[in-house]
């Protein structure tokens, strides 16, 4: 009985975080479309209002998000399986970099599509999702180009935080015990990873959505 609850918990957990992400994307979509939010309202209130007003559409988009994520995972897993047979470390390293770029290119499909549904104010969730995915594939060149740059930029916060915090964290741990000093590098790596995820990855997501909004502004789904 306990094991059976785990997938239900995971699904509920993903749904809750999806609703929070939807509020963030509502703000991003409004800023991309109109450069500013309406007067007298802050970002938190605007995001909350948009999700409440379009709760049905956002919930339906969660199903679409799960479908898209499944397809993306299948694609990247198949790519990993195929390239796993390649000989030579250098070739595998190059393929690994290519896979990172591809993964970054396709990671934010669902976020871009959800943001598009906010700026279109469309009530047809399925049509918006289908057209949004098709448009995403039509502009693959600028998406891929930005993914290469963003892959590199997303690690800048990681490197900076690691450099800045490595010495202080090691010093603080050494005060309590010299045996803990060696753990300073692990603590600094963990802090750097948190900043990379919260700052670097978020920047990459917004940048990809901005490119998507700009490139698809006058484009019809083919």
């Amino acid at each position: 009985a306990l094991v059976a609850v785990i997938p239900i918990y995971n699904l509920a957990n993903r749904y809750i975080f999806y609703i929070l992400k939807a509020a963030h994307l509502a703000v991003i979509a409004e800023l991309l479309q109109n450069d500013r939010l309406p007067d007298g309202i802050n970002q938190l209130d605007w995001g909350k209002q948009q999700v409440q007003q379009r709760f049905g559409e956002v919930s339906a988009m969660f199903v679409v998000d799960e479908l898209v994520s499944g397809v993306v995972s299948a694609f990247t897993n198949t790519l990993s399986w195929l390239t796993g047979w390649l000989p030579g470390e250098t070739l595998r390293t190059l393929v690994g970099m290519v896979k990172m770029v591809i993964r970054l290119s396709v990671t934010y499909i669902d976020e871009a599509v959800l943001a598009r549904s906010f700026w279109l104010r469309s009530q047809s969730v399925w049509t918006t999702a289908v057209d949004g995915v098709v448009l995403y594939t039509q502009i693959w060149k600028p998406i891929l180009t930005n993914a290469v740059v963003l892959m590199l930029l997303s690690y800048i916060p990681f490197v900076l935080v690691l450099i800045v915090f490595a010495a202080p964290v090691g010093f603080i741990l050494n005060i309590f015990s010299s045996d803990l000093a060696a753990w300073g590098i692990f603590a600094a790596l963990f802090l750097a990873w948190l900043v990379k995820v919260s700052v670097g990855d978020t920047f990459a997501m917004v940048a990809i959505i901005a490119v998507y909004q700009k490139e698809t502004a006058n484009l019809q789904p083919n």
Side-chain angles (χ1 to χ4, degrees):
L2 289 173
V3 171
V5 171
I6 293 174
I8 299 174
Y9 168 79
N10 288 336
L11 183 66
N13 190 48
R14 290 200 305 273
Y15 177 71
I16 290 170
F17 278 101
Y18 183 82
I19 294 298
L20 291 174
K21 182 171 67 175
H24 291 196
L25 292 172
V27 174
I28 292 169
E30 185 67 17
L31 293 174
L32 286 174
Q33 279 294 98
N34 302 312
D35 296 326
R36 59 198 293 271
L37 297 180
D39 294 332
I41 187 168
N42 60 40
Q43 292 186 6
L44 291 176
D45 291 337
W46 173 261
K48 180 180 177 181
Q49 287 179 14
Q50 294 305 302
V51 171
Q52 287 176 335
Q53 292 171 7
R54 299 170 55 80
F55 188 76
E57 290 84 1
V58 171
S59 297
M61 270 291 183
F62 173 71
V63 179
V64 176
D65 176 80
E66 291 292 300
L67 292 172
V68 172
S69 297
V71 173
V72 169
S73 296
F75 172 72
T76 53
N77 290 339
T78 302
L79 187 65
S80 297
W81 180 80
L82 291 174
T83 55
W85 297 89
L86 294 174
E89 287 298 325
T90 302
L91 188 58
R92 278 198 290 267
T93 301
L94 291 173
V95 171
M97 294 177 66
V98 171
K99 286 193 292 187
M100 286 179 65
V101 172
I102 292 175
R103 185 165 59 248
L104 185 56
S105 300
V106 298
T107 294
Y108 302 118
I109 292 178
D110 49 339
E111 283 88 349
V113 171
L114 180 57
R116 182 174 182 269
S117 72
F118 278 113
W119 68 60
L120 289 181
R121 302 289 195 271
S122 173
Q123 300 299 315
S124 178
V125 176
W126 183 251
T127 301
T128 302
V130 170
D131 289 347
V133 172
V134 171
L135 288 170
Y136 198 95
T137 61
Q138 285 180 232
I139 60 165
W140 66 271
K141 288 183 180 179
I143 290 290
L144 200 61
T145 301
N146 279 270
V148 173
V149 178
L150 291 169
M151 180 189 69
L152 301 174
L153 290 180
S154 66
Y155 282 96
I156 291 178
F158 176 86
V159 175
L160 291 177
V161 171
L162 184 61
I163 292 172
V164 171
F165 281 98
V169 170
F171 176 74
I172 292 172
L173 291 177
N174 191 50
I175 292 176
F176 294 100
S177 172
S178 58
D179 295 332
L180 294 176
W183 289 95
I185 187 65
F186 294 104
L189 284 170
F190 180 68
L191 287 172
W193 177 79
L194 290 179
V195 173
K196 189 263 181 187
V197 171
S198 60
V199 178
D201 290 0
T202 303
F203 177 82
M205 181 189 74
V206 177
I208 290 289
I209 293 174
V211 171
Y212 177 76
Q213 190 264 350
K214 179 183 177 181
E215 296 292 333
T216 61
N218 299 309
L219 191 64
Q220 293 299 317
N222 187 339

